[in-house]
């Protein structure tokens, strides 16, 4: 890894994302992204802008994900430029419930982030759920 890209800040950005998601803190969640960032969730809905990304997660945070926990399973970082990193964030979620309130099995997936290591924020994200059972 080229020493010009701040790998520690990339990891810290992922940690802030996890912490905000687990706290269901929409303001902190929005702060993880650059103002004009974008995100595609596991059901292929796209939000553009940090506020829209947080708003897209509001319903899930209040319902099916309200008591769930997101954890990092593996993190692979690839330098794209002196300040941008491509990040494979392999995740696991436990404690989700269906829209009817039934417990869901553990879920696994991958988010691909582009992170600006100078700003310590996510520029773009694409989320995929590889679980057998989804809601």
């Amino acid at each position: 890894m080229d020493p010009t890209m701040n790998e520690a800040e990339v990891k810290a950005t992922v940690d802030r994302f996890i912490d905000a998601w687990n706290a269901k803190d929409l303001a902190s969640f929005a702060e993880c992204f650059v103002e004009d960032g974008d995100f595609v969730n596991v059901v292929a809905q796209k939000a553009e802008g940090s506020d829209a990304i947080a708003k897209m997660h509001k319903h899930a945070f209040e319902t099916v994900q309200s008591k769930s926990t997101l954890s990092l399973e593996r993190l692979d970082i690839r330098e794209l430029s002196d300040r941008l990193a491509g990040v494979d964030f392999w995740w696991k979620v436990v404690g989700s419930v269906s829209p009817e309130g039934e417990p869901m099995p553990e879920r696994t997936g991958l988010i691909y982030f582009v992170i600006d290591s100078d700003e310590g924020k996510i520029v773009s994200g694409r989320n995929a759920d590889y679980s057998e059972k989804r809601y």
Side-chain angles (χ1 to χ4, degrees), residues 39-44 89-93 107-112 125-131 134:
F39 189 84
V40 176
N41 67 14
V42 296
V43 293
F89 165 28
W90 297 92
W91 55 262
K92 176 172 70 173
V93 169
R107 297 173 46 232
T108 58
L110 167 71
I111 301 176
Y112 179 77
R126 303 292 181 267
N127 198 2
D129 186 334
Y130 298 121
S131 307
R134 299 185 196 148

Side-chain angles (χ1 to χ4, degrees), residues 7-72:
E7 186 175 350
E9 187 56 49
V10 170
K11 290 177 181 175
T13 301
V14 172
D15 288 341
R16 284 190 301 275
F17 176 89
I18 293 168
D19 290 345
W21 199 95
N22 285 334
K24 314 305 185 249
D25 181 339
L26 291 170
S28 295
F29 195 76
E31 277 295 310
C32 293
F33 295 85
V34 296
E35 189 175 330
D36 63 345
D38 64 76
F39 189 84
V40 176
N41 67 14
V42 296
V43 293
Q45 296 170 322
K46 184 176 184 181
E48 296 180 356
S50 57
D51 290 338
I53 294 166
K55 184 178 179 182
M56 178 172 68
H57 286 80
K58 183 179 189 308
H59 180 72
F61 283 179
E62 292 175 347
T63 58
V64 296
Q65 300 303 339
S66 65
K67 294 183 176 134
S68 65
T69 303
L70 172 70
S71 61
L72 172 67

Side-chain angles (χ1 to χ4, degrees), residues 110-121:
L110 167 71
I111 301 176
Y112 179 77
F113 284 136
V114 174
I115 294 178
D116 184 322
S117 67
D118 287 354
E119 284 193 52
K121 294 195 175 197

